[in-house]
């Protein structure tokens, strides 16, 4: 089979499309014939050797995929060969076939196209568990989403709106803000040209926001933290702009909290909450409240280009690799 292999740490250019032996489904695993796999920033970090886990060489990146079941490992129930599924992967999605744990695999909802299915899990599920269980977003509250047109930020905009929140989108250009507004944001702030803290203050009549959803960090962290109102929750989701330091006194004085948001925690430590999140997300999708934006698709042999589009921060929504 074909697989985009990593044999050394580095930028996406180190990856090569190769013919390799197909994987096998071990007990408790499912083998997929991949139809689509989304590109995530974590795939780039993994290829660079900076991810939380480092697979043994050689490996294929790709942390989520959708396809049809080709093989069931021993002990797997609830699925049959030929079922359409989407799954979170340890790695390996950028290939003709990939292996997923049964507990990380879900049936594709009726009517969901392959490109959307291949890009659904990491973005939507990561955002939902953060907003639902850690941010404790409620109807009538206000959520500030940074990087609001990106693959993760845009899912947070949609989910927050579906939960009944007022959504303030922050992005680096007018075009990106237009995307966030189209997907449900109530207000937009161009933080390249506007003072983020001052604009949030204006939009909230000085009260601040209840939740900040931040996949960017870097220089935006300080004004975003200042934008939190009393009892506000800061959801730390990524560090595309750099890793900040948190002054503890600024949490104390307004009863704020800052929380790291890891999908892995819910996968391994709170699967019952993850199951609820999946049910709620599929319901939101069926109701038309989630409208996944696939901004670009690339064939498997152009996976490096797909990853570069994300690495250079050119993408809005999701970038997907399709496999025929």
């Amino acid at each position: 089979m074909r697989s985009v292999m990593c044999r050394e740490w580095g930028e996406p250019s180190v990856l090569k499309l190769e013919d390799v032996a197909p994987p096998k489904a071990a007990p408790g695993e499912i083998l997929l014939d991949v139809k689509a796999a989304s590109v995530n920033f974590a795939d780039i970090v993994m290829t660079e050797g900076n991810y939380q886990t480092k697979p043994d060489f050689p490996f294929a990146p790709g942390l989520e995929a959708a396809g049809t079941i080709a093989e069931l490992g021993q002990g797997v129930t609830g699925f049959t060969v030929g079922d359409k599924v989407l799954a979170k992967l340890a790695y390996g999605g950028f290939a003709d076939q990939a292996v997923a744990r049964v507990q990380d695999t879900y049936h594709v909802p009726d009517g969901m196209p392959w490109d959307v299915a291949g890009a659904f899990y990491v973005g939507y599920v990561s955002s939902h568990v953060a907003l639902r269980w850690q941010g404790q977003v409620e109807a009538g509250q206000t959520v500030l989403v940074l990087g609001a047109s990106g693959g993760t930020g845009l899912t947070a905009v949609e989910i927050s709106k579906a939960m009944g929140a007022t959504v303030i989108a922050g992005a680096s250009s007018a075009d990106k803000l237009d995307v966030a507004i189209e997907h449900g944001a109530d207000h937009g702030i161009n933080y390249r040209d506007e003072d983020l803290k001052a604009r949030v203050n204006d939009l909230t009549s000085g009260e601040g926001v209840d939740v900040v959803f931040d996949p960017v960090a870097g220089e935006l962290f300080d004004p975003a933290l200042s934008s939190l109102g009393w009892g506000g929750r800061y959801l730390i989701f990524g560090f595309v702009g750099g890793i900040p330091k948190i002054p503890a006194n600024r949490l104390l004085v307004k009863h704020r909290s800052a929380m790291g948001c890891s999908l892995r925690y819910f996968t391994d430590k709170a699967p019952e909450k993850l199951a609820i999140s999946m049910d709620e997300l599929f319901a939101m999708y069926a109701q038309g409240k989630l409208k996944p934006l696939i901004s670009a698709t690339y064939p498997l042999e152009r996976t490096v280009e797909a990853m570069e589009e994300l690495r250079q921060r050119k993408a809005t929504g999701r970038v997907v690799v399709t496999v025929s």
Side-chain angles (χ1 to χ4, degrees):
M1 73 167 193
R2 300 171 303 158
S3 182
V4 177
M5 302 302 291
C6 180
R7 295 182 180 273
E8 61 179 304
W9 305 123
E11 295 181 356
S13 59
V14 304
L15 301 173
K16 305 295 181 186
L17 185 65
E18 302 179 14
D19 287 321
V20 299
K24 295 290 184 181
E29 293 182 341
I30 290 173
L31 178 66
L32 307 181
D33 286 328
V34 177
K35 299 296 184 182
S38 179
V39 180
N40 291 280
F41 190 74
D43 296 315
I44 299 167
V45 176
M46 179 179 284
T47 300
E48 293 171 340
N50 296 321
Y51 195 57
Q52 301 104 310
T53 57
K54 291 185 177 182
D56 294 332
F57 291 131
F59 69 92
L63 293 173
E64 64 179 324
T68 56
I69 295 179
E71 177 183 301
L72 299 175
Q74 183 180 353
V76 172
T77 59
F79 297 94
T80 60
V81 171
D83 283 355
K84 297 180 178 180
V85 295
L86 58 86
K88 178 183 176 294
L89 312 174
Y91 52 86
F94 302 142
D96 286 321
Q97 292 186 312
V99 169
R101 301 189 307 175
V102 64
Q103 61 264 42
D104 298 330
T105 305
Y106 297 83
H107 288 99
V108 173
D110 292 341
M112 181 180 284
W114 282 124
D115 56 352
V116 171
F120 193 85
Y121 194 108
V122 171
Y124 280 105
V125 180
S126 297
S127 295
H128 191 277
V129 295
L131 292 162
R132 171 78 153 83
W133 302 109
Q134 294 177 271
Q136 298 181 10
V137 174
E138 298 177 2
Q141 294 186 334
T142 302
V143 179
L144 170 63
V145 179
L146 305 181
S149 71
T152 298
L154 200 58
T155 63
V157 167
E158 291 187 319
I159 292 168
S160 298
K161 190 64 179 178
M163 288 178 167
T166 296
V167 182
I168 301 174
S172 59
S173 73
D175 289 344
K176 290 181 178 180
L177 285 177
D178 287 343
V179 172
I181 296 296
E182 289 171 4
H183 283 256
D186 298 283
H187 309 283
I189 301 174
N190 182 341
Y191 43 63
R192 293 293 185 203
D193 301 330
E194 300 177 89
D195 184 312
L196 179 66
K197 177 184 174 182
R199 284 286 289 129
V200 170
N201 191 62
D202 290 342
L203 291 169
T204 62
S205 301
E207 293 296 318
V209 300
D210 298 287
V211 174
V212 173
F213 183 95
D214 184 5
V216 182
E219 63 184 15
L220 294 176
F221 179 82
D222 187 77
L225 180 60
S226 296
S227 300
L228 269 184
W230 279 89
R233 288 85 69 197
Y234 201 109
L235 305 180
I236 300 170
F237 206 85
F239 307 109
V240 174
I243 301 175
K245 294 183 178 180
I246 303 175
N249 62 305
R250 292 173 63 194
L251 300 179
L252 174 63
V253 293
K254 284 196 173 182
H255 194 66
R256 298 160 169 157
S257 57
M259 294 169 278
C261 300
S262 170
L263 177 57
R264 180 174 297 176
Y265 168 79
F266 293 91
T267 301
D268 296 339
K269 304 295 184 181
E272 70 287 350
K273 291 181 178 179
L274 181 60
I276 294 171
S277 285
M278 291 300 302
D279 288 342
E280 292 183 359
L281 282 167
F282 285 152
M284 290 176 184
Y285 180 81
Q287 294 161 8
K289 294 179 179 180
L290 306 181
K291 298 179 180 179
L293 174 61
I294 309 299
S295 61
T297 59
Y298 291 82
L300 183 64
E301 56 268 25
R302 294 176 60 194
T303 297
V304 170
E305 294 175 60
M307 295 178 69
E308 280 294 337
E309 180 166 335
L310 193 65
R311 188 176 74 89
Q312 296 175 25
R313 300 176 71 175
K314 295 179 180 179
T316 55
R318 309 292 289 174
V319 177
V320 173
V321 170
T322 58
V323 183
S324 59

